Amino acid sequence: MEDLIEITVTVNGRAVHERVPARMHAADFLRGQLGLTGTHVGCEQGVCGMCTVLLDGEAVKSCLLLAPQLDGHEVATVESLAPDEGLAPLQQAFKEAHALQCGFCTPGFLMTATALARSGRTLSRDDIREELTGVLCRCTGYENIVTAVDRHINGEHVDV
Amino acid sequence: MKPAPLQYVRPASVAEAVDALEEHGGMARVLAGGQSLVPMLGMRLMRPSALVDINDLGAELGKIDGRGEETVIGALVRYSALETSPVIAERLPLLQEVVRHIGDRQVRNRGTIGGAVAQSDPTGEMPLVCLTLGARVVARSVRGERTIPIEEFFEGSYANALEPEELLVGLRFPLAPVHCRFFERGRKHNDFALLSIAVAGSPDADGRWSGVRIGLGGVNDTPVLAEAAAARLEGRTWDTATIAEAAELALEAADPPDDVRASAEYRNHLLPIQLRRVLTDLAGAEPWKT
């Protein structure tokens, strides 16, 4: 039996105390132990970006973090975005721009874009495209995703 | 893609960290940003007995300091901090430019300069720029601290002069030339580089260059300095013929791998062409502006 490590971590604003194996990665912890299955697991080697969450407000790949590393930190997952009723503005922008097809990559894009929107940076469409390169979409190409994030951050454009 | 069982140690100071490394007798690995290490653990390319997580050591290892001519960067300084640091923009603009070529946003939010140098990926951007800028690596163990010139640091693919019980605590950079360029060619955006080139030097009022250093990545087991090429350029003005000779001489430093990304022949083909372009651009250019 492996040693378990006690951690206290704030997940989506709620403090949780859990015991985790040292080698468990944070995405498995969020999904398997906390039941927050909005965080998706794709490659488990830091390439696809499906598992992106916010760690202390910054976008990170949760498959490259070990669960014990979360101790004392704040995590936000895609479950934190929507209000009780309806969608968050960023999610609404994804819906309106048809920025998802199968939806598997969507949590990764939403969390990466959430951190980006909060950064307060001035961002061109090219900047946004560059900032989103750490999340892969295999359905559609990226135009509508970039459009959704661009509209969310910079407001409506007439040319799309 | 799950690591083998291991212990997790989270020291609260550098002293505790080096104690933990010593205790595990070289079987522990240091966990910094984890952006290369954690995938390797998942693939079972490494099975350390323990991970020594240094992420709480920001107070000791997370600073960027300009001290006189020297710039000292703590091992735990993350790429995202290097990207936006005004001290780095002023003192080590080449380093700041290169950081933007590393990984993606999420990787740059976690990855650290110390981790990248300790990882010693032969195609890595950070090892290349540290070599080109002549950094010194500071390492600490229970036996004390030592400083390793970067030219003696890289020993092979993913291999370096650190002892298993040593912690890389920081990098010390000398005053960097204002004139510098970075070039990278990969198969796709953010992929491992097939070829990367970093050049730094200073022209005088007559256009004669001094302190020329040319670093090459992806063309050998480690990042390498193209010494013969740099010597050809040192103390001279750079006309077309001089640049062409230097670009050919760079091949002396190359012994590229054949791998899934490109053949050795192709890398050897790329090197002089791309180096000639980089040097031509630098010869006719303004000092670096970011």
Side-chain angles (χ1 to χ4, degrees):
Chain A
M1 188 64 193
E2 286 185 67
D3 286 349
L4 295 178
I5 295 167
E6 283 194 33
I7 62 169
T8 300
V9 49
T10 304
V11 180
N12 300 337
R14 188 172 60 92
V16 298
H17 309 274
E18 291 283 334
R19 291 157 67 83
V20 295
R23 60 173 169 162
M24 174 183 269
H25 64 61
D28 277 351
F29 168 72
L30 293 166
R31 291 174 56 83
Q33 209 151 324
L34 301 186
L36 295 170
T37 53
T39 299
H40 290 169
V41 173
C43 69
E44 288 190 292
Q45 49 187 289
V47 176
C48 74
M50 300 302 102
C51 65
T52 301
V53 300
L54 306 189
L55 177 71
D56 300 328
E58 291 192 326
V60 302
K61 294 171 184 170
S62 58
C63 75
L64 298 187
L65 275 175
L66 296 176
Q69 292 187 272
L70 300 178
D71 185 46
H73 293 276
E74 282 187 30
V75 176
T77 69
V78 71
E79 285 91 346
S80 69
L81 295 184
D84 291 340
E85 296 284 324
L87 297 173
L90 176 63
Q91 292 171 313
Q92 187 65 32
F94 267 62
K95 182 179 169 186
E96 286 169 11
H98 191 64
L100 61 153
Q101 186 169 306
C102 85
F104 191 77
C105 66
T106 310
F109 279 110
L110 289 173
M111 297 319 287
T112 306
T114 295
L116 189 59
R118 287 181 190 161
S119 72
R121 289 172 54 193
T122 306
L123 295 153
S124 68
R125 196 175 167 90
D126 281 348
D127 294 334
I128 291 169
R129 191 179 288 278
E130 172 63 33
E131 289 290 326
L132 296 178
T133 54
V135 191
L136 304 183
C137 167
R138 296 286 83 138
C139 287
T140 66
Y142 299 92
E143 280 303 311
N144 290 352
I145 295 166
V146 174
T147 296
V149 176
D150 190 9
R151 283 184 191 169
H152 175 68
I153 292 176
N154 294 321
E156 196 70 33
H157 299 287
V158 290
D159 59 339
V160 277
Chain B
M1 294 298 294
K2 316 293 179 190
L6 45 77
Q7 277 181 272
Y8 174 79
V9 186
R10 189 159 159 179
S13 67
V14 169
E16 280 183 32
V18 296
D19 279 347
L21 289 170
E22 184 71 16
E23 229 169 80
H24 284 271
M27 297 304 289
R29 295 286 300 199
V30 176
L31 175 60
Q35 304 299 288
S36 301
L37 177 61
V38 176
M40 292 179 91
L41 295 175
M43 290 182 251
R44 309 276 174 117
L45 293 172
M46 259 187 243
R47 300 176 72 132
S49 64
L51 291 178
V52 178
D53 179 0
I54 61 167
N55 282 284
D56 283 351
L57 310 186
E60 286 179 271
L61 302 181
K63 291 198 195 107
I64 300 169
D65 267 333
R67 295 181 198 153
E69 291 195 344
E70 195 173 58
T71 309
V72 182
I73 304 179
L76 197 61
V77 170
R78 299 188 199 277
Y79 296 136
S80 54
L82 294 171
E83 260 183 292
T84 54
S85 161
V87 176
I88 298 298
E90 190 194 321
R91 290 168 161 258
L92 301 172
L94 179 65
L95 180 63
Q96 194 159 65
E97 163 64 15
V98 168
V99 165
R100 299 189 177 119
H101 293 261
I102 298 174
D104 49 47
R105 171 52 52 211
Q106 296 96 309
V107 167
R108 295 200 294 276
N109 281 342
R110 289 300 293 172
T112 67
I113 186 169
V117 172
Q119 177 75 4
S120 302
D121 181 334
T123 70
E125 289 89 350
M126 267 304 115
L128 174 65
V129 73
C130 290
L131 177 67
T132 306
L133 294 177
R136 288 180 300 151
V137 179
V138 186
R140 202 177 301 169
S141 72
V142 292
R143 283 167 285 283
E145 192 169 283
R146 65 176 180 136
T147 303
I148 308 160
I150 194 89
E151 295 83 355
E152 296 164 21
F153 184 78
F154 300 112
E155 295 183 337
S157 186
Y158 300 95
N160 59 50
L162 286 175
E163 298 297 331
E165 304 85 10
E166 271 182 320
L167 175 67
L168 195 164
V169 292
L171 290 138
R172 309 173 80 98
F173 290 85
L175 191 65
V178 184
H179 288 70
C180 48
R181 282 293 181 277
F182 177 73
F183 167 87
E184 183 173 82
R185 176 70 74 226
R187 287 202 313 176
K188 57 187 184 190
H189 193 71
N190 293 340
D191 195 5
F192 290 87
L194 299 180
L195 168 67
S196 45
I197 298 171
V199 183
S202 303
D204 66 14
D206 300 326
R208 287 177 205 286
W209 288 74
S210 60
V212 179
R213 286 173 75 95
I214 301 171
L216 306 174
V219 295
N220 217 318
D221 284 348
T222 68
V224 288
L225 289 173
E227 287 172 356
R232 186 71 190 82
L233 297 165
E234 186 74 20
R236 294 189 165 88
T237 56
W238 294 1
D239 56 30
T240 310
T242 306
I243 286 174
E245 285 166 30
E248 289 297 327
L249 284 168
L251 286 167
E252 290 182 12
D255 182 13
D258 267 312
D259 64 24
V260 63
R261 292 186 175 80
S263 66
E265 189 188 356
Y266 181 59
R267 291 174 208 248
N268 278 331
H269 168 75
L270 277 185
L271 172 56
I273 296 170
Q274 299 299 346
L275 180 56
R276 180 165 47 77
R277 290 179 187 167
V278 170
L279 292 171
T280 304
D281 180 42
L282 185 55
E286 299 286 302
W288 188 277
K289 286 181 194 135
T290 46

